[in-house]
Amino acid sequence: GTMKRFRRHGHESQRDKHKQDLYQFNKTVEHGFPHQPSALGFSPSLQLLAIGTRSGAIKLYGAPGVEFMGLHDENAAVTQVHFLPNQTYPQLCNLLINFVYIHTQSVQSLNGFSGMVLCKSFACLRRLLQLRFVIADLFTATFSRIPEDYVGRRNLECVETLHENPLNPRQVLIGYSRGLMVLWDLDRQRPIQHFLGTQQLESVWWMEDGENILSSHSDGSYCQWTVTGEDPQTEPEKQEMPYGSFPCKAISKVIQLPSKQGPPFLIFSGGMPRASYGDRHCISVIHSKTHEALDFTSRIIDFFVIREGPSALVVLVEEELIVVDLQTEGWPVIQTPYLVPLHCSAITCSHHVSSIPLKLWERVQAAGAQQNTHYSKKPWPINGGQNLAPDPPQRDLLLTGHEDGTVRFWDASGVCLYPMYKLSTAGVFLTDADPNDNMNQGSEGEWPPFRKVGCFDPYSDDPRLGIQKIHLCKYSGYLTVAGTAGQILVLELNDEAAEQTVEATVVDLLQGQEGFRWKGQARLDVREEPVLFPPGFQPFALVQCQPPAVVTAIALHSEWKLVAFGTSHGFGFYDYHQRNNILVKCTLNPSDQMALEGPLSRVKSIKKSLRQSFRRIRRSRVSMRKHHTNNALQEINARLEAEALQEMELAPVQRKIEARSSDDSFTGLVRTLYFADTFVSDSSHSTPSLWAGTNGGAVFAYVLRVPSLERRAEDPVVAHAAKEIQLMHRAPVVGLVVLDGKGAPLPEPLEVAHDLARSPEMHGSHHLLVVSEEQFKLFTLPKVSSKSKLKLTAVDGSRVRRVGVAWFGSRTDEQLESSLVVLTNQGELHVISLPSIKMMVHYPCIRREDVSGIASCVFTKYGQGFYLISPSEFERFSLSTRWVVEPHCLVEAPLQMRPKNPSSPVHRDQPDGVPTEHRCVCSCVIVQKPLFLSCC
Amino acid sequence: MNKNHRVPSNRTLSAVEVKSKFGAEFRRFSLDRSKPGRFDEFYGLLQHVHRIPNVDLLVGYADVHGDLLPINNDDNYHKAISMAAPLLRLFLQRKEEADYSAFGTDTVTRKKTPAALAAVLLRPDANKKKPPIIISLPKDFRPVSSIIDVDILPETHRRVRLYKHGQEKPLGFYIRDGSSVRVTPQGLEKVPGIFISRMVPGGLADSTGLLAVNDEVLEVNGIEVSGKSLDQVTDMMIANSHNLIITVKPANQRNNVVRSSGGGSSGRSTDSNTSFYGYSTPGSMVMTPSHIIQNYEPDEESEEEEDLVIEADRGAKLFPQAGARATASTSMPALPRYEPHLDLRPSNGTMASSVSVGSLNACDRGLEGRNLEEEGTVITL
């Protein structure tokens, strides 16, 4: 007994050791653009960019690959971000980078002096900490010198801005929102000069000479004032209203910088004529005779200019970061290496392909380069820090499908998610939008001289174009994408532009079933004339499902040249070599009205009925008030209705407990499709096969006869129904995998032909793994009998949402083993061993309330994954000890800032958080992830 | 694989193959079908072949439907011999250890293979016969629900098993979030809980009378629900719906089962008769289903439910297969009809025993805190 127990114990610990060697969970990096950015900061000395968000996150970016991120404890918006360079402050020096941000609450705590801007020197900040008495002094001591008629009965309102003299940090300019500006001597504690502005003040800018001040105002004007004039100065030196005569919107920020050659650059945001362009988000750049109004597609948060030159204008708008090259003719935009707007059109699906062969990589890159000719050739101007991360181990592609029918290819090999190539499928179809409708360029001589910049464009011409499924074969360069209106496109990578007609095949998935009336969207109309496709992926075949319901599953087998597709009505497959459809199978349950009518009509009707009932309630309330109880009956009715409403609001959520039945809705919806060369009907000869799993727990298997290579063009591909499996628990089938004689998943098509995988073991029996939402079940092949299973839902109430096959290996051992990676509806990640289907590890990953995050998750073949944490950001995670892509970088502070005991750069295992001693106005930023924090 | 459906040979017309199992041992012998003899001779023969002359035995056999039926007199002995086709499977137990309530429907055929199923569904001669469901035991003998584990649960709790299989009735209840107040060492504490919120009239849950609105759900098939969301508990219940075991704390604490003395420490699951509500399960004896079932089918493969597999191979077996395709496509929607035969009694050995282990621990903990807990009132939100 004891012996046995000991042995088992030893076995257990060995197993645990094995798990530790293989699996480890990390959220490694956030890709994309932060959701709801609210503040922008830049350190010229460190060459770091900082972005604060409304949810309290701070992100720092330097050279590509150098990125840090911190999250404030409270969910408070970051309103301003400032670096405090070059000076060590005794209490703050525990950060190599002194970095301060103010969030809403702290600003409010400053006695209502809202909207205050901290100065860009730390000495000034220190004064600001004592601001209360400065302000008090101002009130008591300074107003004697302001003319009576200027002050009038108006009060000066709050301090809008504080700005120090660039040449003398002991002089601070205090701007009040009503227009008054006071130049203050910090040493003598008294005012030097008053500037009696008459317009509501928006911002001030002290020019580099230290003698001139620019102020911008709410009426769309800016003024220039001279510092060394008489006091008080009642009139500005110069007053301009750039977009003049008619009322204009405020200029929220104005800056002027000298240029190396010639006249200065004047840059300001806003100031547009209120009536005609009041809705535009513009920054105007004026240099010599060149004047452009950069027109952004979302609200401007802030901007700054990189000084030397000046070289570049960096603009943070609500949905993207745009850097304009000011040194190149025409001021082109520099492509950002990070902070890419993933969501320029809403992401509808994603697909990851690991270890792309170099050849394909270069071809995609080349196709992408031809799309990016309008970008500046200048290198990325922000280059702080060092990227110490090793080169990515392999080339990975992340493909995102978008609502506007585009597929974007991202280089996902490393820390920076970099755009490589964009494919648009809209050209194949006739849509309402005119492709020549060019919104990018204004006509000649237009005033203001608008120029559209940025790529955020949330408006989709036609929601039917939306991409739902993507599959790329990395060996052959064939790509298939499927969309919202039942369209499946097969594309081929071509290095040259080509003009071709896309042949459409309509496939009736209902197969003449009677009594159906599709109430959903119409099929997309296809262009009949040849279309010119640019170099890149070019469509050559199109299947359109009838009814045109959203495509719910696809599979591509590039060796057999077949594409399988499924919707809520059935599935089929198409031979893209001979360009004909081979098989159609209707899976629709005749009583399933819901699948029939199309989801759109259903949603509409729910919304409609909700709206109607609310309207009814509102009406009754109104009537209750109007006819003030003349009618007793009416009163009672109204009260009853109000009570019913109250009851509706208070009624607890309840769930019906009922066994699943065969006539539930959408049981015929095809959830997964899978091609496999395996033993479907006899144990001595393997054959090509197609497997399909439905929402109702059914699995269909077809044996395929694919002609030999020589006869591929002539002989038909034939499919025979071979098996049907109905899972008794009837849960949706979300994954199908065939395991070879050694228990490993079958390789991808062409993988063996390219010598990149060993041939599957065809001796010994193959197994079919059926993954339903509720359990994992292994069946023998060819005779389908249950071998083992693992229950999930019955045990812990969670359901499988995403599943993938991944390879894991320890850091030391070359040997890889395959496992299943699973994400549940509870947001937990599980690793399940193959072929033994045992739970290995599980980690909480996503909040269970974050349904869209869970739905967006995509796994890589090597145990990493991505999911959306906002419409514009992917979180990257890794379950693997061997493959982890995470930032690894170092920022070295200028010499005098180094702490006395120089410690080596700290890496990943540094405990999070830094003591926050300063709770007054500013708090130290807590840089959570890696590095460079070291305490004195 | 399909040992229950061996092709009859000439030999079997006269001889009956007997496979007798006692403990882990099997004995095989044959009997003349035409001259079976008397029961007491047969009983002696069994003691002899198993070499257990002085052991009192309880003899059971598996009938064609997979039900375990007793052999204890000449009549049922002759019936057993005449029905053997051709194999007569016997299960012997020591009388003192016997588990009577294992007798009943669907108790032996733990595993109907897909092939066997297909045979039932598709064999032309099977179709000629009346469907097995009609000749199975009377419906009254099918358990509908039971209170189990009375001896190991606190008296304030009730563990109810609902036998959904073979029922036309829906399970028929709803659950909701709520909170209950418990007395803890720290004082009164409000804890979130899951409650039954509604019963569908005429549903299975309603008809048992063992569950009621506002009962707090504590466990589903042996797994505690505390800390789980309403949706999780819903999914657990639906996933276990073929054999749902819910432990509740009834809102009405006046009808609690009073524990019989002496059973508490046994640690065994007990399937007690819910006689005070007038439900009948076959037999009225205490038993441990888990143990007996483990004896029958010690291998892991015992399946609660079998998936339906339809082969549509071309070639040699063309005729029946063609039939299979036709039947399959038309019978798919009507599948639930066959479920009673696929969806076997689920109290699988490993699971049931883990249930009782789990609940034993829960009980130990429960006993300490019980007095306090009983004072806790259930507040309905």
Side-chain angles (χ1 to χ4, degrees):
Chain A
T2 34
M3 274 295 285
K4 204 172 176 185
R5 199 171 299 152
F6 267 114
R7 221 173 31 224
R8 189 170 302 158
H9 186 74
H11 188 72
E12 275 296 302
S13 64
Q14 203 179 348
R15 224 174 91 128
D16 285 347
K17 168 95 176 45
H18 183 63
K19 284 180 191 174
Q20 280 172 12
D21 282 349
L22 261 53
Y23 317 116
Q24 152 194 307
F25 179 63
N26 277 309
K27 290 185 185 178
T28 53
V29 59
E30 289 174 8
H31 295 304
F33 185 77
H35 190 49
Q36 299 187 316
S38 51
L40 175 69
F42 178 64
S43 163
S45 60
L46 295 170
Q47 284 288 313
L48 286 183
L49 170 86
I51 292 178
T53 74
R54 261 189 258 174
S55 55
I58 293 259
K59 296 186 161 203
L60 286 172
Y61 297 90
V66 176
E67 49 188 84
F68 308 104
M69 112 117 200
L71 193 66
H72 197 266
D73 299 341
E74 301 146 61
N75 205 22
V78 177
T79 56
Q80 295 177 22
V81 180
H82 297 277
F83 287 87
L84 307 170
N86 294 338
Q87 273 145 67
T88 43
Y89 183 67
Q91 286 164 299
L92 277 175
C93 71
N94 56 0
L95 283 180
L96 282 183
I97 295 171
N98 290 318
F99 186 81
V100 171
Y101 69 95
I102 303 180
H103 57 72
T104 328
Q105 278 122 354
S106 342
V107 171
Q108 277 168 357
S109 72
L110 266 179
N111 292 341
F113 294 105
S114 64
M116 197 169 40
V117 177
L118 295 185
C119 300
K120 298 204 168 177
S121 105
F122 193 72
C124 181
L125 176 85
R126 203 161 53 194
R127 294 300 172 285
L128 284 162
L129 297 180
Q130 305 154 4
L131 195 79
R132 238 169 275 192
F133 90 85
V134 173
I135 301 291
D137 282 356
L138 275 171
F139 275 101
T140 53
T142 71
F143 292 107
S144 53
R145 284 202 263 166
I146 300 170
E148 193 71 19
D149 61 328
Y150 177 76
V151 178
R153 284 171 314 182
R154 296 177 295 181
N155 94 42
L156 295 167
E157 296 176 23
C158 61
V159 174
E160 186 69 40
T161 152
L162 284 160
H163 216 53
E164 67 170 351
N165 186 336
L167 301 179
N168 176 7
R170 308 307 298 159
Q171 289 185 357
V172 175
L173 184 73
I174 303 165
Y176 292 86
S177 56
R178 220 206 58 188
L180 172 71
M181 290 178 288
V182 178
L183 180 57
W184 185 263
D185 188 319
L186 287 169
D187 291 327
R188 283 179 285 169
Q189 296 283 339
R190 62 181 191 82
I192 300 166
Q193 196 175 2
H194 294 77
F195 307 91
L196 308 183
T198 51
Q199 282 295 330
Q200 193 83 17
L201 187 69
E202 292 284 328
S203 75
V204 297
W205 176 258
W206 210 319
M207 287 194 218
E208 292 206 335
D209 55 12
E211 285 170 14
N212 286 291
I213 293 165
L214 283 182
S215 63
S216 75
H217 302 278
S218 64
D219 65 342
S221 67
Y222 67 89
C223 303
Q224 188 174 336
W225 311 79
T226 314
V227 174
T228 49
E230 82 263 24
D231 182 47
Q233 198 171 349
T234 50
E235 287 286 320
E237 190 84 1
K238 186 175 104 181
Q239 181 165 10
E240 286 274 349
M241 201 186 275
Y243 299 112
S245 59
F246 293 110
C248 289
K249 296 195 82 173
I251 292 181
S252 53
K253 182 172 178 177
V254 63
I255 61 180
Q256 184 171 325
L257 291 167
S259 65
K260 274 182 191 152
Q261 63 281 78
F265 276 89
L266 177 73
I267 300 170
F268 60 89
S269 63
M272 285 291 136
R274 186 175 291 275
S276 34
Y277 300 111
D279 56 342
R280 300 284 182 110
H281 312 285
C282 290
I283 289 180
S284 302
V285 184
I286 302 167
H287 175 243
S288 182
K289 290 207 168 63
T290 320
H291 180 161
E292 272 190 358
L294 305 173
D295 187 4
F296 300 94
T297 53
S298 56
R299 200 168 58 83
I300 294 158
I301 309 293
D302 202 356
F303 68 91
F304 66 85
V305 171
I306 296 174
R307 294 269 185 129
E308 296 71 35
S311 64
L313 166 68
V314 180
V315 185
L316 178 68
V317 293
E318 194 137 48
E319 306 290 354
E320 55 192 317
L321 182 84
I322 293 154
V323 177
V324 179
D325 174 8
L326 294 178
Q327 287 178 315
T328 305
E329 185 76 28
W331 298 336
V333 169
I334 304 175
Q335 195 167 17
T336 53
Y338 39 68
L339 291 164
V340 285
L342 291 169
H343 61 314
C344 26
S345 167
I347 294 179
T348 43
C349 67
S350 27
H351 174 68
H352 186 274
V353 193
S354 300
S355 4
I356 306 284
L358 182 61
K359 184 81 192 133
L360 178 72
W361 188 262
E362 288 172 346
R363 292 177 71 192
V364 173
Q365 220 162 25
Q370 296 186 52
Q371 298 178 324
N372 292 340
T373 47
H374 58 286
Y375 283 114
S376 164
K377 303 277 184 297
K378 283 264 169 9
W380 183 243
I382 299 165
N383 52 17
Q386 287 169 265
N387 182 7
L388 303 178
D391 282 342
Q394 57 200 23
R395 291 169 295 272
D396 287 356
L397 266 181
L398 179 67
L399 282 67
T400 52
H402 298 262
E403 201 179 24
D404 62 355
T406 58
V407 178
R408 282 157 211 261
F409 289 57
W410 309 94
D411 174 356
S413 323
V415 173
C416 292
L417 193 69
Y418 195 78
M420 281 183 82
Y421 165 74
K422 179 179 123 180
L423 161 73
S424 175
T425 62
V428 179
F429 305 101
L430 284 166
T431 54
D432 300 338
D434 181 357
N436 296 322
D437 172 17
N438 196 342
M439 54 188 280
N440 281 327
Q441 295 305 327
S443 55
E444 198 65 29
E446 186 193 22
W447 187 259
F450 289 120
R451 185 183 128 204
K452 275 264 181 232
V453 282
C455 63
F456 177 71
D457 177 20
Y459 307 106
S460 172
D461 301 329
D462 190 332
R464 294 177 298 169
L465 291 172
I467 305 294
Q468 298 294 335
K469 296 284 164 193
I470 305 171
H471 192 111
L472 170 69
C473 171
K474 61 185 177 186
Y475 303 110
S476 62
Y478 281 102
L479 170 73
T480 177
V481 298
T484 306
Q487 74 271 30
I488 299 104
L489 280 166
V490 191
L491 307 98
E492 191 178 11
L493 187 54
N494 186 350
D495 302 324
E496 307 295 327
E499 191 167 19
Q500 59 197 47
T501 317
V502 180
E503 214 177 296
T505 308
V506 175
V507 172
D508 178 17
L509 287 172
L510 293 179
Q511 289 187 289
Q513 289 223 38
E514 294 292 311
F516 283 134
R517 239 186 80 216
W518 171 252
K519 295 180 190 162
Q521 64 212 349
R523 202 164 66 214
L524 280 161
D525 293 320
V526 184
R527 283 183 195 278
E528 278 165 12
E529 71 280 6
V531 181
L532 179 69
F533 294 104
F537 287 93
Q538 296 170 348
F540 64 90
L542 167 68
V543 176
Q544 290 187 290
C545 297
Q546 187 61 29
V550 50
V551 177
T552 53
I554 57 168
L556 169 73
H557 200 293
S558 44
E559 195 171 349
W560 304 335
K561 300 192 186 302
L562 303 174
V563 168
F565 48 88
T567 71
S568 51
H569 305 108
F571 62 93
F573 75 92
Y574 177 84
D575 172 1
Y576 63 79
H577 193 74
Q578 294 186 25
R579 315 255 170 115
N580 58 356
N581 196 65
I582 307 298
L583 169 80
V584 179
K585 164 77 181 170
C586 179
T587 53
L588 187 66
N589 181 338
S591 64
D592 190 348
Q593 274 304 309
M594 224 138 47
L596 193 61
E597 291 178 359
L600 293 174
S601 64
R602 164 106 186 141
V603 169
K604 225 179 284 168
S605 69
I606 291 173
K607 269 192 188 157
K608 198 173 153 199
S609 67
L610 268 177
R611 219 171 15 239
Q612 276 170 348
S613 56
F614 274 104
R615 211 170 281 155
R616 206 164 41 232
I617 289 161
R618 212 176 301 143
R619 210 182 299 132
S620 76
R621 279 179 172 168
V622 169
S623 66
M624 197 158 57
R625 253 178 255 131
K626 266 186 188 162
H627 319 281
H628 212 60
T629 64
N630 293 351
N631 190 331
L633 185 69
Q634 213 170 22
E635 192 188 353
I636 290 163
N637 275 342
R639 197 190 303 148
L640 282 177
E641 217 165 324
E643 273 168 19
L645 177 71
Q646 201 171 22
E647 201 171 300
M648 201 171 81
E649 280 163 356
L650 291 180
V653 184
Q654 54 176 3
R655 296 277 183 270
K656 188 179 187 183
I657 307 299
E658 203 44 76
R660 226 183 303 264
S661 82
S662 56
D663 45 66
D664 286 342
S665 295
F666 289 112
T667 47
L669 188 143
V670 178
R671 292 291 292 269
T672 183
L673 290 161
Y674 180 66
F675 284 111
D677 183 1
T678 187
F679 304 94
V680 183
S681 44
D682 91 67
S683 52
S684 47
H685 302 286
S686 72
T687 53
S689 62
L690 171 67
W691 299 79
T694 72
N695 226 22
V699 176
F700 300 89
Y702 284 79
V703 169
L704 314 182
R705 203 178 68 218
V706 183
S708 62
L709 228 56
E710 309 81 65
R711 307 282 307 162
R712 186 63 183 84
E714 299 86 41
D715 291 357
V717 175
V718 185
H720 293 285
K723 286 184 196 322
E724 284 179 38
I725 307 168
Q726 174 61 56
L727 299 177
M728 268 308 150
H729 66 286
R730 294 186 178 280
V733 176
V734 292
L736 293 164
V737 183
V738 171
L739 307 179
D740 71 8
K742 284 182 176 157
L746 293 186
E748 285 171 44
L750 294 176
E751 201 174 354
V752 177
H754 283 71
D755 270 346
L756 288 152
R758 62 172 179 81
S759 308
E761 181 60 61
M762 299 311 263
H763 301 288
S765 64
H766 280 197
H767 287 93
L768 171 70
L769 175 64
V770 178
V771 181
S772 80
E773 283 190 0
E774 297 188 356
Q775 24 179 287
F776 306 83
K777 213 160 182 177
L778 202 58
F779 294 94
T780 58
L781 286 176
K783 184 158 182 53
V784 177
S785 60
S786 167
K787 197 181 174 214
S788 58
K789 71 174 169 188
L790 174 68
K791 288 184 176 185
L792 185 70
T793 313
V795 176
D796 75 351
S798 57
R799 307 172 71 85
V800 177
R801 279 283 170 268
R802 296 266 142 187
V803 63
V805 170
W807 294 85
F808 290 91
S810 70
R811 269 179 271 217
T812 49
D813 193 3
E814 278 295 300
Q815 197 67 36
L816 296 186
E817 57 184 72
S818 58
S819 305
L820 279 186
V821 285
V822 171
L823 177 69
T824 70
N825 66 340
Q826 303 297 313
E828 278 214 324
L829 286 167
H830 293 265
V831 178
I832 291 164
S833 63
L834 289 177
S836 57
I837 49 173
K838 296 250 173 358
M839 292 272 189
M840 301 304 283
V841 285
H842 63 102
Y843 308 97
C845 178
I846 310 176
R847 283 180 310 114
R848 68 172 167 227
E849 296 81 15
D850 185 5
V851 177
S852 56
I854 291 171
S856 69
C857 179
V858 56
F859 294 117
T860 80
K861 234 180 121 184
Y862 296 99
Q864 298 189 48
F866 302 84
Y867 66 92
L868 290 172
I869 47 175
S870 74
S872 56
E873 287 165 287
F874 273 117
E875 174 82 61
R876 186 184 193 122
F877 64 85
S878 174
L879 286 161
S880 168
T881 49
R882 187 142 151 194
W883 286 278
V884 184
V885 170
E886 61 185 340
H888 185 99
C889 45
L890 173 70
V891 174
E892 287 185 271
L895 272 176
Q896 72 267 32
M897 278 186 65
R898 285 254 182 93
K900 292 222 174 81
N901 50 342
S903 51
S904 56
V906 187
H907 299 294
R908 236 184 323 103
D909 295 323
Q910 174 76 7
D912 296 345
V914 154
T916 49
E917 297 159 13
H918 304 277
R919 296 208 158 259
C920 39
V921 179
C922 49
S923 347
C924 305
V925 124
I926 299 156
V927 181
Q928 272 187 330
K929 261 281 135 92
L931 331 194
F932 80 65
L933 297 187
S934 80
C935 297
C936 302
Chain B
M1 272 302 234
N2 44 2
K3 50 197 168 206
N4 303 326
H5 298 275
R6 281 198 186 158
V7 184
S9 68
N10 287 335
R11 191 169 59 86
T12 60
L13 291 176
S14 57
V16 175
E17 280 180 56
V18 180
K19 182 179 170 189
S20 174
K21 189 177 177 220
F22 175 71
E25 287 188 45
F26 288 96
R27 294 288 184 275
R28 287 176 181 274
F29 55 93
S30 60
L31 289 172
D32 192 339
R33 195 188 291 274
S34 55
K35 286 176 263 175
R38 284 181 292 120
F39 170 70
D40 51 358
E41 293 167 3
F42 177 66
Y43 187 84
L45 179 64
L46 291 175
Q47 284 180 323
H48 174 71
V49 297
H50 280 282
R51 300 180 193 199
I52 41 170
N54 299 318
V55 176
D56 279 345
L57 291 172
L58 190 70
V59 185
Y61 78 100
D63 81 344
V64 287
H65 312 302
D67 299 341
L68 181 67
L69 300 178
I71 302 180
N72 46 24
N73 58 41
D74 287 351
D75 285 347
N76 52 25
Y77 169 54
H78 291 156
K79 179 78 176 170
I81 291 291
S82 66
M83 295 296 283
L87 181 70
L88 177 64
R89 289 203 286 155
L90 294 180
F91 299 93
L92 310 186
Q93 294 170 265
R94 289 177 196 274
K95 242 179 191 154
E96 59 267 30
E97 291 174 3
D99 181 355
Y100 289 84
S101 59
F103 294 108
T105 53
D106 290 353
T107 41
V108 177
T109 323
R110 296 294 309 150
K111 185 171 173 204
K112 282 229 167 123
T113 60
L117 172 77
V120 172
L121 289 177
L122 310 172
R123 229 168 30 191
D125 57 341
N127 292 339
K128 260 183 256 165
K129 288 185 199 157
K130 284 187 174 179
I133 187 162
I134 293 176
I135 56 166
S136 66
L137 290 170
K139 270 222 153 152
D140 306 354
F141 279 75
R142 195 180 291 281
V144 176
S145 63
S146 53
I147 299 187
I148 59 173
D149 295 339
V150 181
D151 52 349
I152 56 166
L153 284 176
E155 281 168 20
T156 52
H157 295 178
R158 180 184 297 164
R159 186 167 292 166
V160 177
R161 173 186 234 154
L162 299 175
Y163 300 85
K164 170 74 178 103
H165 73 261
Q167 294 284 322
E168 300 294 313
K169 282 178 183 172
L171 281 170
F173 66 100
Y174 291 71
I175 57 171
R176 61 166 171 86
D177 280 316
S179 64
S180 64
V181 173
R182 295 253 164 76
V183 181
T184 67
Q186 287 80 40
L188 280 176
E189 203 178 303
K190 208 169 170 186
V191 290
I194 303 287
F195 295 85
I196 294 176
S197 63
R198 202 180 128 198
M199 308 288 280
V200 177
L204 182 58
D206 184 47
S207 68
T208 67
L210 300 177
L211 299 171
V213 171
N214 291 335
D215 286 0
E216 183 178 1
V217 178
L218 303 172
E219 290 176 3
V220 175
N221 289 54
I223 293 155
E224 282 188 44
V225 303
S226 77
K228 293 196 158 61
S229 69
L230 182 65
D231 287 332
Q232 264 176 297
V233 177
T234 305
D235 285 343
M236 282 169 75
M237 287 188 174
I238 291 173
N240 287 300
S241 58
H242 55 276
N243 169 42
L244 186 57
I245 301 169
I246 321 177
T247 311
V248 292
K249 185 170 160 195
N252 177 357
Q253 288 280 330
R254 277 170 298 177
N255 286 334
N256 291 341
V257 177
V258 179
R259 191 181 307 171
S260 58
S261 57
S265 60
S266 74
R268 288 173 150 189
S269 283
T270 44
D271 215 335
S272 93
N273 221 350
T274 62
S275 51
F276 71 93
Y277 279 116
Y279 296 100
S280 56
T281 48
S284 52
M285 293 145 281
V286 180
M287 65 120 203
T288 51
S290 50
H291 296 267
I292 215 108
I293 284 158
Q294 268 177 333
N295 285 348
Y296 291 152
E297 202 78 32
D299 58 324
E300 269 265 307
E301 280 199 33
S302 55
E303 287 285 309
E304 291 150 16
E305 45 183 25
E306 272 304 327
D307 306 314
L308 173 63
V309 178
I310 298 164
E311 302 273 345
D313 292 348
R314 295 132 295 131
K317 292 179 275 177
L318 196 72
F319 164 65
Q321 292 307 333
R325 293 293 306 146
T327 331
S329 53
T330 54
S331 71
M332 285 297 273
L335 239 177
R337 210 175 124 226
Y338 296 102
E339 250 177 318
H341 305 279
L342 309 167
D343 195 3
L344 298 172
R345 174 80 75 81
S347 56
N348 144 350
T350 43
M351 197 178 78
S353 57
S354 71
V355 166
S356 42
V357 169
S359 52
L360 190 64
N361 296 338
C363 167
D364 288 341
R365 273 179 276 125
L367 282 173
E368 292 159 11
R370 184 153 50 90
N371 291 336
L372 294 170
E373 255 185 65
E374 276 170 12
E375 289 160 38
T377 51
V378 176
I379 290 178
T380 306
L381 273 189

